[in-house]
Amino acid sequence: EDQVTQSPEALRLQEGESSSLNCSYTVSGLRGLFWYRQDPGKGPEFLFTLYSAGEEKEKERLKATLTKKESFLHITAPKPEDSATYLCAVLPGAGNTGKLIFGQGTTLQVKP
Amino acid sequence: DAGVIQSPRHEVTEMGQEVTLRCKPISGHNSLFWYRQTMMRGLELLIYFNNNVPIDDSGMPEDRFSAKMPNASFSTLKIQPSEPRDSAVYFCASRNRERGLNQPQHFGDGTRLSIL
């Protein structure tokens, strides 16, 4: 069964304290892995797509990496405005018509 | 460019009433998804459409839920009759499938539904 697990569930950081969020997955083939950011009262906002092991994408203080079994979202010198819930989702391969499998998310709080 | 537009943003109604949620996808997107989000279960896919045709409705909880997409720019999710356990945030998302299945989905800001 296709599955996505994110850890930790919650993370508190001081401003400037770098850390990483983990997304582990088991899927029948991987067509893509997506990272989203969700602010309270808002819908998930697309951040990155990763397609193959070894790929990396960066945006401001965020960098996403991908291996064959997991993805990391590295946050360098975070600021309070980076506080949000970060969601990971995978698009399985063969036989799938576009249905994403989402993890439960990691809620990040960055204190000034 | 306008994003995915959902209405209403909030809905409070009594058990047994019919509820209709509305979604306007991003212009040019030809896949549309309805999700439900709760603290306990996270984001769950209810149903999705490609080119206005329902492809997978296996996530629809029961017959009380129905969804339609009469044209490329409008979709509804209806609950009749509503029950307190249907209380959740309902999201609509769209995607440009023409560029490939691995294109990202873009979400609206959701409808927060409370059934009393």
Side-chain angles (χ1 to χ4, degrees), chain A residues 97-99, chain B residues 30-34 45-60 65-72 74-77 95 97:
Chain A
T97 54
K99 181 176 173 178
Chain B
N30 53 3
S31 291
L32 183 139
F33 305 79
W34 281 102
L45 179 66
L46 300 176
I47 184 171
Y48 75 97
F49 297 82
N50 284 339
N51 295 318
N52 313 337
V53 176
I55 300 301
D56 184 345
D57 65 355
S58 59
M60 296 285 261
F65 285 69
S66 63
K68 293 183 179 180
M69 191 163 186
N71 57 61
F74 183 66
S75 178
T76 59
L77 179 67
R95 179 189 67 193
R97 190 172 182 271

Side-chain angles (χ1 to χ4, degrees), chain B residues 77-92:
Chain B
L77 179 67
K78 188 173 292 188
I79 309 173
Q80 167 64 21
S82 57
E83 296 182 4
R85 60 192 166 121
D86 301 331
S87 298
V89 182
Y90 290 80
F91 288 104
C92 176

Side-chain angles (χ1 to χ4, degrees), chain A residues 5 27 29 34 55 69 72 75 88 92 103:
Chain A
T5 303
V27 292
F34 302 81
E55 190 175 0
K69 301 215 169 182
F72 292 94
I75 304 177
C88 168

Side-chain angles (χ1 to χ4, degrees), chain A residues 84-98:
Chain A
T85 295
Y86 291 86
L87 295 166
C88 168
V90 298
L91 181 66
N96 185 287
T97 54

Side-chain angles (χ1 to χ4, degrees), chain B residues 86-116:
Chain B
D86 301 331
S87 298
V89 182
Y90 290 80
F91 288 104
C92 176
S94 69
R95 179 189 67 193
N96 184 348
R97 190 172 182 271
E98 293 302 315
R99 294 185 178 179
L101 289 177
N102 52 12
Q103 288 298 298
Q105 296 177 21
H106 296 274
F107 285 76
D109 282 337
T111 295
R112 182 172 295 275
L113 177 64
S114 297
I115 309 296
L116 305 177

